[in-house]
Amino acid sequence: MKTAWKKNPWSWVPSLYFIEGVPYAIVVMVAEIMYSRFGMGNAEIAFYTSLFYIPWVIKPFWSPFVDIFKTKRWWIDTMQLLIGAALGGIAFTIPGSFWLQASLCLFWLIAFSSATHDIAADGFYMHGLDDNQQSFFVGIRSTFYRLAMMFGQGALIVLAGTLEVFTRDIHYAWALTFYLAAGLLIVLGLYHQWALPRPKSDHTIHYEGQEMMIEKKMQAKQIVNDFIDIVRSFFKKDGIVFALMFILLYRVPEGMLVKMCPLFLVDPVDKGGLGLSPQDIGFVLGTIGVVGLTIGGILGGLYSSIRGLKKSLWLMVCAITLPDIVYVILAYLQPSSLLLINVCIFFEQFGYGFGFTAYMLYLIYFSQGEQKTSHYAICTGLMALGLLVPGMIAGWLQELVGYNTFFIIVMFLCIITFVVSALVKINPTFGKQDKSTN
């Protein structure tokens, strides 16, 4: 009975993708709120936390070595325990005097470990399941990843805010929150050491003595040479210039907003923000925002499958840009109504989820060819770079001009999204459901 349960994908797929989403939510969202509560300026917060995207930028360059050294199961187990230990380290250090230096290093370690875990988990998913199971569980893994985002962006922030009230010590409250997160990750990591299957296809070659060293060096050299060829072929693809512009610039406005939205919500009214408590922010971003994003993504996928990417592109461009106007409205009105704030955030996140579908479909479209898997990995690295650069300057710009002008500038930057969308060429049949197969 235990063996049957252990081999059942339900015993490990949901928890594996839940644990994949939690650290990402922590480094992308929770870190921002924590630093804001600790009194850091927006320019510093946006700059430092944008650097956490670097592991996802370099992930395509790192992934071949994850494939060759050790098993994917080993990488999963190791990264999960390392993330848990790093979260515990943050909890231990933030009440001290060197909390900033220590937490930045540990958050970056979590980001790198999380990106490495992504590589191993996605590869292990294909080793641990047959083709039918992979198709069946793709929706399950996505659901539990979204639940992880809700837990990280919602429950953890709400918990920290509640503990702030009870302990009356902001640093101590956040330390307790990170101890809880660390405990959860370590427990799940230990559970996966038992629950994850050991597929025969997930193996590493064993050699002894000097033979092992020679083989490893040859494999590593071959990987480097193959990757250079892959990168070279990627940058020789037709339309590469406009494709790079689209991949790097399509989300420039969102790259600005994703860094400043949490800070805008938490900053006091006299600084131009909305002055929400961590509990309110956890609900607005961690629940309402994630729900809007999810629904928008689902409907975007359905719409594009009917119309095709080319015909649905412009509606999606409008969806990912025009709803940004809600931040201009919120900045000028500074409403105290949580209902109005929730409606605005839901509307903006719904539009982002709908419009982001076009972006992801284009990455798939441009990656087509003999090396589509490797080319898609490069595209995702460039995708992360497209958020890193705007995010780094967002805080500096906001402090320079204030929230009102900042959000107006973001609206003008939406012009870039329209321009790069007009430049790319897309096959009219791509992404459209073939009715003859129904």
Side-chain angles (χ1 to χ4, degrees):
M1 189 68 179
K2 289 183 178 179
T3 303
W5 168 246
K6 187 174 178 180
K7 292 181 179 179
N8 190 329
W10 282 103
S11 68
W12 60 271
V13 173
S15 56
L16 179 64
Y17 281 89
F18 181 84
I19 208 173
E20 182 173 309
V22 170
Y24 182 80
I26 288 174
V27 298
V28 169
M29 182 69 66
V30 178
E32 280 195 51
I33 301 298
M34 185 192 79
Y35 286 136
S36 180
R37 299 296 293 166
F38 288 1
M40 282 182 63
N42 288 352
E44 292 176 289
I45 295 173
F47 179 83
Y48 287 134
T49 58
S50 292
L51 296 177
F52 299 154
Y53 285 116
I54 291 176
W56 282 277
V57 174
I58 66 174
K59 189 169 74 169
F61 301 91
W62 172 239
S63 59
F65 296 94
V66 176
D67 287 334
I68 189 173
F69 294 108
K70 299 291 186 178
T71 64
K72 292 175 179 61
R73 191 183 195 279
W74 182 90
W75 283 104
I76 290 171
D77 291 338
T78 303
M79 292 304 104
Q80 288 179 358
L81 295 178
L82 184 58
I83 291 169
L87 288 170
I90 292 174
F92 180 76
T93 56
I94 55 178
S97 56
F98 293 97
W99 61 267
L100 177 58
Q101 298 90 331
S103 63
L104 287 173
C105 291
L106 290 167
F107 273 128
W108 204 91
L109 175 61
I110 292 171
F112 182 80
S113 301
S114 178
T116 303
H117 183 273
D118 292 352
I119 298 168
D122 291 341
F124 187 83
Y125 179 84
M126 292 183 283
H127 284 286
L129 303 176
D130 59 34
D131 291 344
N132 290 335
Q133 289 174 325
Q134 288 180 37
S135 298
F136 177 81
F137 278 94
V138 69
I140 304 300
R141 61 184 259 185
S142 176
T143 299
F144 277 83
Y145 188 87
R146 292 294 185 193
L147 290 174
M149 298 299 289
M150 293 177 72
F151 173 79
Q153 296 180 187
L156 286 181
I157 296 175
V158 170
L159 175 63
T162 303
L163 290 173
E164 284 183 18
V165 175
F166 280 100
T167 63
R168 297 185 180 181
D169 186 326
I170 293 178
H171 284 254
Y172 183 57
W174 282 88
L176 291 176
T177 302
F178 276 98
Y179 274 128
L180 174 65
L184 174 65
L185 267 292
I186 291 173
V187 168
L188 285 176
L190 294 173
Y191 167 74
H192 285 142
Q193 291 188 5
W194 171 84
L196 292 180
R198 298 179 183 273
K200 293 181 180 179
S201 58
D202 181 31
H203 67 277
T204 183
I205 302 174
H206 296 283
Y207 299 93
E208 295 182 359
Q210 188 174 1
E211 182 185 0
M212 179 183 71
M213 296 298 296
I214 294 173
E215 180 65 22
K216 288 293 184 183
K217 288 181 180 179
M218 290 178 62
Q219 285 182 307
K221 184 177 179 180
Q222 186 62 45
I223 286 176
V224 172
N225 291 336
D226 289 346
F227 190 77
I228 291 173
D229 291 339
I230 289 169
V231 173
R232 186 182 293 117
S233 66
F234 177 82
F235 285 98
K236 286 183 177 180
K237 290 173 77 76
D238 292 338
I240 182 63
V241 174
F242 292 147
L244 287 176
M245 292 173 62
F246 183 86
I247 295 170
L248 292 173
L249 301 178
Y250 182 81
R251 294 198 296 167
V252 165
E254 193 63 30
M256 292 281 189
L257 287 180
V258 76
K259 280 291 142 197
M260 299 314 301
C261 171
L263 303 179
F264 169 62
L265 295 178
V266 74
D267 268 350
V269 174
D270 59 2
K271 289 186 177 181
L274 299 186
L276 299 186
S277 67
Q279 296 94 317
D280 292 334
I281 294 171
F283 181 75
V284 172
L285 296 180
T287 303
I288 300 300
V290 174
V291 170
L293 182 69
T294 303
I295 295 175
I298 293 172
L299 293 180
L302 291 173
Y303 181 75
S304 62
S305 69
I306 296 172
R307 299 275 295 168
L309 175 58
K310 186 176 180 65
K311 289 185 177 180
S312 60
L313 178 62
W314 288 110
L315 179 60
M316 292 185 170
V317 169
C318 292
I320 203 171
T321 54
L322 300 185
D324 293 348
I325 192 70
V326 301
Y327 290 105
V328 177
I329 297 171
L330 291 174
Y332 275 91
L333 296 181
Q334 290 185 291
S336 58
S337 170
L338 281 176
L339 177 61
L340 176 59
I341 295 170
N342 278 302
V343 169
C344 288
I345 297 299
F346 178 88
F347 179 64
E348 187 271 330
Q349 286 293 290
F350 174 86
Y352 176 65
F354 192 88
F356 185 62
T357 305
Y359 185 78
M360 294 305 296
L361 282 174
Y362 182 79
L363 298 190
I364 296 171
Y365 172 76
F366 189 72
S367 301
Q368 291 182 113
E370 293 182 2
Q371 298 171 318
K372 59 183 178 182
T373 302
S374 299
H375 285 178
Y376 182 77
I378 295 173
C379 284
T380 59
L382 294 171
M383 175 178 69
L385 182 62
L387 287 182
L388 186 153
V389 177
M392 290 179 70
I393 65 172
W396 166 81
L397 180 61
Q398 183 278 319
E399 287 191 346
L400 183 67
V401 300
Y403 280 115
N404 293 5
T405 305
F406 172 80
F407 289 127
I408 291 174
I409 291 173
V410 169
M411 289 304 302
F412 276 104
L413 290 175
C414 292
I415 296 172
I416 296 175
T417 305
F418 281 87
V419 171
V420 296
S421 299
L423 294 175
V424 293
K425 295 182 179 180
I426 302 170
N427 188 319
T429 63
F430 178 77
K432 191 173 184 179
Q433 188 178 34
D434 186 358
K435 294 182 179 179
S436 64
T437 61
N438 293 340

